[in-house]
Amino acid sequence: MTTDRPDPSSDSLRDPRFDAAWREASREAPPAALDAAILAAARRAVGAGPQPVAVREATRPERWWWPLAAAASIGAVAVGILQVSGLDQARAPDPKRAIVSDMPAEPPPAAQGSQDKAAGRDGRMDFYGIMPSLPNDAVRRAPAPPVSAMAENAAPTSPDPAPANVMAKLVADPSAAEAAPATEATRAGGQRNPPTAPPATTPALAAIAPRAGSGISASPDSVQPFPADATPAGAAERDGARAKALGKVMSAPGAAARAEAQAKERAPLPVAEWIVLIRKLRAEGRTEALAREVAAFRAAYPDQEHLLVDLPSGGEPPPPPAR
Amino acid sequence: MGLDNAGCAGREALAYSQAMPPRAFADADPDDPGDEALMLAYAAGDAAAFDALYARRKGGVYRYLVRHCGNAGAADELFQDVWMNVIRARATYAPNAKFATWLYRIAHNRLVDHWRTHARAEFVATDVDGDEPDPLAFVAGARGDEPEVRAGAREQGQRIDVALSRLPPAQREAFLLHQEGGLELADIAALTGAGIETVKSRLRYALAKLRLELADLR
């Protein structure tokens, strides 16, 4: 096989006739589908870039009500939180108040041990073994104190001190009695409402009954009007003497006016407390203070005068003896 | 080793590229924007610039690939890859050289990758000069071996393919870059990694051979 070796020395790199013949013969072109695909790809590549925003609506938020919806949602959540927290506060037990349990008293240790064994606690882990067994029923197992003891215990922690203590202070320090009304008024707080229950006959109930806010109220059946039937037999004579003394005091010039003025200045005590105070003053023979309190009581509770029937002459201080 | 030109043989009469040949285009209208300006315009977002650029260059690139690989299907795939590379590289294009040189460099590299993938070793002997006999030059092209009788306009294309297939790869490469791509000697030298004189020699040998092969076309 031989080849015709062309002459390299020929200087014609460009032959117009050959070029024309070549161009005429070489007409291959890419298929139209390929052209379309490439041109479409080129347009897509250019069009993929960010386009200028000509329409103003495109920059406007489509959902203009979103801020309103967000504000409404936040408001609803806030209201819900406030309500839930209010309920929690309302349900939270007041640590100053006595807890009254209606569960039976704590069983003896032997029985308690058997209960623990039965419950599988045994002082180690609870049923799930996750955390030490907390005495969930400790409150239920706690011994329920008797009512009288409860009343005694509750007295110092009660928001309003026991009337006996208040009265004792008033009796011990007459000067403090004048300053007491303001402090008593502030301490009594919402206890302004006159108690609905008349004073109790037993000492425990008498101590409990004024504390209507403590949640403990005496049964209406167990209370009696102030003039107790158990008045000692010789009390009449004593009452008579005290009434005389009281009448002296009250008949003193300006005494009644002073008492009324003091009573007006001082906020009135609850009826039961006042009655207890009056009875205490009478028992101690402090006629001057007694007269002042009686006058104040009448001024404050004119419709409760019937509670003073045990006082001589219907509570009225006896008229000064004629000289 | 024969060239599989079955794909190209099945192609019907191909419409002549609407684009003017690069060389003729360059001399035709001085007011017409150059390839580089069109490419920069396309990089700036002008899709119409790419349309014009593609219309100018698609024929040359396609024929360059078809003549090299001899397979229309493979040429289509390579052609699409070349232009997709152009599209992707639009943002980094810088007119440091002629656009045609950059475009045919992409095509050349894609062709080399194609041959590497298909274990063709045609471009291994890129330094083989036309002075020495190339064993591949005497291997008849597949198209020439086909028994079908080509008729009409396709006959010339077949003869060109046959004549090209008989050229040494280096000469064919230089000739196609010069004839279809319109590249200058220096561009061909830079693209192929050969010297200018070497490229010039290859071109001379290639033209001489083709003139002999295609003497009746004139």
Side-chain angles (χ1 to χ4, degrees):
Chain A
M1 189 180 209
T2 60
T3 56
D4 297 332
R5 303 293 299 264
D7 184 10
S9 61
S10 62
D11 204 24
S12 58
L13 287 178
R14 184 64 57 183
D15 186 350
R17 290 175 56 194
F18 180 82
D19 288 346
W22 177 273
R23 213 173 294 145
E24 190 69 23
S26 180
R27 295 184 175 187
E28 289 90 348
L34 196 56
D35 288 345
I38 291 170
L39 292 176
R43 291 194 183 95
R44 276 198 307 273
V46 173
Q51 297 296 313
V53 179
V55 183
R56 191 163 184 79
E57 291 179 358
T59 59
R60 194 172 57 195
E62 294 180 359
R63 299 187 174 114
W64 55 268
W65 45 267
W66 273 27
L68 292 178
S73 301
I74 292 172
V77 170
V79 168
I81 290 173
L82 287 177
Q83 286 186 348
V84 170
S85 64
L87 287 177
D88 290 341
Q89 288 178 357
R91 288 171 186 167
D94 191 351
K96 294 182 178 179
R97 292 182 179 177
I99 299 174
V100 180
S101 173
D102 56 350
M103 297 303 292
E106 184 180 18
Q112 183 65 38
S114 63
Q115 282 184 0
D116 286 340
K117 284 181 181 177
R121 275 183 215 97
D122 203 14
R124 288 170 293 194
M125 302 292 281
D126 64 349
F127 176 78
Y128 300 102
I130 297 173
M131 53 189 299
S133 172
L134 288 176
N136 284 336
D137 50 355
V139 176
R140 274 181 273 141
R141 285 183 293 178
V147 176
S148 58
M150 190 169 57
E152 290 173 0
N153 293 335
T157 59
S158 177
D160 46 329
N165 296 341
V166 176
M167 298 312 130
K169 284 180 186 174
L170 291 173
V171 169
D173 187 6
S175 63
E178 297 177 356
T183 56
E184 282 293 25
T186 54
R187 257 189 284 175
Q191 210 174 346
R192 242 349 123 72
N193 298 332
T196 57
T201 53
T202 61
L205 290 178
I208 294 169
R211 287 182 219 103
S214 63
I216 303 171
S217 60
S219 170
D221 300 334
S222 63
V223 296
Q224 292 179 0
F226 179 70
D229 297 334
T231 305
E237 294 177 8
R238 285 203 310 270
D239 287 343
R242 285 172 190 159
K244 288 178 182 176
L246 188 59
K248 277 184 184 176
V249 171
M250 295 302 289
S251 64
R258 260 189 284 122
E260 287 183 2
Q262 286 178 357
K264 286 179 181 175
E265 291 174 0
R266 190 185 70 183
L269 290 173
V271 174
E273 290 183 13
W274 222 330
I275 294 300
V276 171
L277 172 63
I278 290 170
R279 292 188 65 183
K280 185 161 289 193
L281 292 175
R282 187 183 64 181
E284 292 176 356
R286 296 172 60 102
T287 55
E288 187 175 355
L290 176 62
R292 192 169 56 236
E293 292 299 326
V294 166
F297 180 83
R298 282 177 175 152
Y301 301 106
D303 54 341
Q304 301 288 335
E305 266 192 9
H306 63 277
L307 298 177
L308 302 176
V309 294
D310 63 333
L311 289 176
S313 66
E316 284 287 342
R323 295 186 181 177
Chain B
M1 185 169 71
L3 297 174
D4 184 12
N5 291 332
C8 295
R11 193 173 301 285
E12 294 298 326
L14 299 171
Y16 191 74
S17 173
Q18 296 177 353
M20 300 174 66
R23 192 183 313 279
F25 174 79
D27 299 335
D29 189 0
D31 296 333
D32 210 7
D35 294 345
E36 295 79 17
L38 289 176
M39 185 60 193
L40 288 175
Y42 173 64
D46 186 2
F50 182 85
D51 293 350
L53 190 62
Y54 179 77
R56 282 185 191 179
R57 293 292 177 180
K58 66 174 184 179
V61 175
Y62 185 75
R63 286 189 290 273
Y64 168 80
L65 294 171
V66 166
R67 303 282 183 237
H68 263 307
C69 68
N71 186 327
D76 290 352
E77 181 183 348
L78 296 177
F79 180 78
Q80 187 171 4
D81 288 347
V82 168
W83 284 104
M84 292 306 292
N85 286 334
V86 171
I87 292 169
R88 279 192 290 267
R90 70 189 185 281
T92 58
Y93 171 75
N96 298 325
K98 291 199 300 185
F99 173 79
T101 305
W102 181 68
L103 175 64
Y104 279 93
R105 182 183 295 278
I106 293 174
H108 172 82
N109 292 337
R110 184 66 187 87
L111 198 58
V112 171
D113 291 340
H114 170 74
W115 276 323
R116 281 176 183 164
T117 303
H118 294 80
R120 292 277 297 270
E122 288 203 32
F123 271 80
V124 172
T126 51
D127 55 344
V128 175
D129 226 350
D131 300 339
E132 301 173 3
D134 183 5
L136 293 176
F138 305 106
V139 177
R143 177 164 297 187
D145 299 336
E146 288 176 356
E148 300 90 32
V149 179
R150 309 288 179 180
R154 282 188 294 170
E155 186 178 356
Q156 292 183 348
Q158 292 170 5
R159 292 188 59 192
I160 290 173
D161 287 340
V162 171
L164 282 175
S165 65
R166 289 177 178 170
L167 288 178
Q171 292 181 13
R172 188 169 56 209
E173 171 76 357
F175 172 78
L176 289 175
L177 288 174
H178 181 71
Q179 188 70 26
E180 298 291 353
L183 301 185
E184 301 294 337
L185 292 178
D187 300 330
I188 298 171
L191 199 152
T192 57
I196 293 179
E197 290 301 322
T198 303
V199 171
K200 190 174 183 179
S201 174
R202 289 172 182 172
L203 277 176
R204 282 176 181 163
Y205 275 105
L207 280 172
K209 289 178 185 176
L210 290 174
R211 279 177 191 151
L212 289 177
E213 292 280 341
L214 306 172
D216 56 334
L217 290 180
R218 296 194 245 182

